[in-house]
């Protein structure tokens, strides 16, 4: 049995018998005017964060969500696009698709604005999306891509890039791990399916996105997720796993490489009213400016003693200059 078959069986069972402890997120359930999340959707929230960000969802964007779970994030996306087929949900597990359909009926009863036809559920896998090229404004996946091994991850990201419109964005939440894992952990197909042993370091995760052509990467959150301890897992040391929320934007790739925002800022405190590096970055006196890591390195190389640079906060809310 391949690791993808194991994954299929894990989530088939999770569809038939909801498992509240399968994944664990510290994100609160969205509370918006008129939005009611059915209890069953909350119980089937098999993610590690949130991919629903209001600033991505203005002007009725066409949306794609891969790995539907119990339908919670599909319902949340529909809140921002109340049109027939405005949100596409793709899953390879028939039982999960059917569970979502049934959950949407409950959502219709609890939300006067919602109709099941807002969501177009399709059978398909992340490596072969049943979606047209350049047709999606916002694509998302939550706690899925970390399961894939390297070649399959490359295919899945390439597919997301293919279906996105220019300047469209791929919004993701996945476990990451900075510590090395032994081969027994890495090769344990069930632990990989449970979103534990496939976790990559953040730098490798980002590289997979930029290698696919995404010109701008935003790390929006970095949170504690799980631990693998020697008592319960085949490891001699405690392994700490985090979850991150990331947006990869289909911007053109800059000549000098991608813009990766990890929550750094620069603050100019010199004698003039502002500092202009003549490369497109103007720092107003005593006003923090969000900058990408590439810009931070370029400004630091100037050796000035009147600019303060923050460390990466791994929380980026937009704005700034790059």
């Amino acid at each position: 049995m391949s690791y993808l078959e194991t994954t299929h069986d894990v989530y088939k069972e999770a569809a038939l018998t909801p498992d509240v402890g399968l994944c664990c997120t510290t994100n609160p359930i969205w509370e918006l005017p008129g939005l009611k999340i059915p209890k069953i959707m909350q119980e089937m929230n098999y993610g590690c964060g949130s991919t629903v960000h209001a600033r991505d969802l203005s002007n009725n964007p066409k949306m794609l969500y891969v790995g539907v779970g119990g339908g919670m994030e599909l319902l949340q996306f529909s809140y921002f696009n109340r049109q027939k087929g405005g949100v596409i949900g793709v899953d390879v597990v028939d039982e999960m698709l059917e569970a979502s359909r049934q959950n949407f009926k409950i959502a219709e009863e609890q939300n006067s604005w919602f109709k099941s036809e807002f969501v177009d559920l399709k059978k398909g896998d992340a490596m072969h999306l049943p979606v047209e090229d350049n047709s999606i404004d916002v694509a998302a996946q939550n706690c899925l891509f970390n399961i894939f091994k390297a070649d399959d991850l490359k295919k899945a990201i390439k597919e997301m890039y293919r279906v996105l419109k220019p300047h469209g964005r791929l919004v993701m939440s996945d476990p990451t791990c900075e510590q090395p894992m032994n081969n027994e952990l890495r090769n344990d197909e069930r632990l990989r399916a449970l979103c534990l042993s496939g976790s990559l370091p953040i730098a490798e995760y980002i590289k997979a996105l930029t290698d696919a052509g995404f010109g701008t990467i935003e790390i929006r959150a970095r949170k504690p997720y799980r631990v693998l301890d020697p008592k319960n897992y085949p490891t001699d040391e405690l392994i700490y796993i985090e979850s991150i929320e990331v947006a990869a934007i289909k911007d053109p790739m800059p000549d000098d490489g991608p813009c990766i925002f990890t929550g750094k800022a620069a603050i100019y405190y010199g004698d003039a009213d502002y500092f202009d590096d003549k490369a497109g970055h103007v720092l107003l006196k005593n006003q923090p400016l969000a900058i990408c890591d590439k810009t931070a390195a370029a400004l630091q190389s100037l050796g000035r003693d009147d600019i303060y640079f923050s460390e990466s906060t791994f929380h980026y809310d937009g704005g700034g200059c790059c």
Side-chain angles (χ1 to χ4, degrees):
M1 181 179 291
S2 72
Y3 84 96
L4 291 176
E5 291 173 321
T6 299
T7 300
H8 181 281
D9 289 348
V10 165
Y11 289 94
K12 174 182 176 180
E13 181 61 31
L16 297 172
T17 306
D19 184 354
V20 177
L22 181 62
C23 289
C24 179
T25 172
T26 57
N27 283 66
I29 300 300
W30 272 72
E31 295 184 6
L32 294 167
L35 174 61
K36 176 70 174 177
I37 307 294
K39 182 179 178 182
I40 185 62
M41 285 187 174
Q42 298 180 39
E43 292 175 348
M44 297 178 69
N45 178 22
Y46 303 140
C48 61
S50 178
T51 63
V52 184
H53 298 270
R55 68 177 177 272
D56 299 329
L57 304 175
S58 60
N59 301 316
N60 295 318
K62 182 74 171 183
M63 289 173 273
L64 166 69
Y65 190 79
V66 181
V68 300
M72 187 179 82
E73 291 197 306
L74 288 165
L75 175 62
Q76 293 172 340
F77 280 128
S78 295
Y79 183 89
F80 296 92
N81 185 338
R82 305 179 186 190
Q83 302 178 40
K84 184 177 180 179
V87 182
I88 299 172
V90 174
D91 206 298
V92 73
V93 181
D94 289 320
E95 292 78 5
M96 197 65 80
L97 289 167
E98 182 57 28
S100 289
R101 289 190 185 96
Q102 297 305 315
N103 292 348
F104 288 146
K105 293 180 181 179
I106 300 172
E108 282 186 327
E109 296 172 357
Q110 298 183 10
N111 295 271
S112 60
W113 58 268
F114 178 69
K115 297 179 182 179
S116 293
E117 66 180 24
F118 292 167
V119 183
D120 182 9
L121 290 174
K122 295 186 177 185
K123 174 75 175 285
D125 69 78
M127 277 78 79
H128 307 88
L129 292 172
V131 181
E132 295 179 0
D133 295 0
N134 305 306
S135 62
I136 300 296
D137 295 296
V138 179
Q141 65 83 22
N142 194 334
C143 215
L144 172 63
F145 280 13
N146 77 99
I147 294 173
F148 295 142
K149 294 184 178 179
D151 287 346
D152 290 335
L153 177 61
K154 183 177 180 180
K155 292 176 184 176
I157 294 174
K158 184 177 179 180
E159 273 291 272
M160 288 291 211
Y161 189 89
R162 175 184 67 81
V163 303
L164 282 170
K165 297 176 183 178
H167 307 293
R169 55 193 58 206
L170 168 59
V171 186
M172 301 172 291
S173 178
D174 270 312
T176 62
C177 183
E178 300 303 313
Q179 295 170 254
M181 291 192 192
N182 60 49
N183 288 333
E184 188 173 359
L185 283 172
R186 288 293 189 197
N187 295 327
D188 188 310
E189 294 180 355
R190 183 168 178 82
L191 290 182
R192 182 175 282 273
L194 294 174
C195 300
L196 295 172
S197 64
S199 305
L200 296 174
I202 291 175
E204 290 185 30
Y205 187 91
I206 291 173
K207 187 176 187 300
L209 296 168
T210 57
D211 283 351
F214 288 100
T216 302
I217 309 294
E218 302 176 353
I219 297 185
R220 296 176 168 179
R222 181 177 178 178
K223 306 174 183 179
Y225 181 61
R226 294 287 182 85
V227 293
L228 304 181
D229 66 278
K231 289 184 179 180
N232 296 291
Y233 299 92
T235 174
D236 294 329
E237 63 174 346
L238 191 74
I239 296 177
Y240 172 57
I241 300 176
E242 299 173 297
S243 69
I244 60 170
E245 295 175 13
V246 175
I249 303 171
K250 193 176 177 179
D251 289 338
M253 183 66 68
D255 292 338
D256 58 351
C259 295
I260 300 170
F261 289 87
T262 61
K264 290 185 176 180
I267 304 175
Y268 169 67
Y269 56 95
D271 296 329
D273 291 336
Y274 64 90
F275 169 71
D276 184 349
D277 72 348
K278 307 301 182 183
H281 312 108
V282 178
L283 283 68
L284 300 179
K285 187 172 182 177
N286 291 325
Q287 304 226 3
L289 181 73
I291 51 176
C292 73
D293 290 6
K294 179 178 61 179
T295 297
L299 290 173
Q300 286 174 313
S301 71
L302 300 177
R304 297 184 67 94
D305 61 2
D306 54 6
I307 302 178
Y308 175 83
F309 298 94
S310 74
E311 298 294 329
S312 295
T313 62
F314 295 98
H315 178 83
Y316 176 67
D317 261 339
C321 185
C322 186

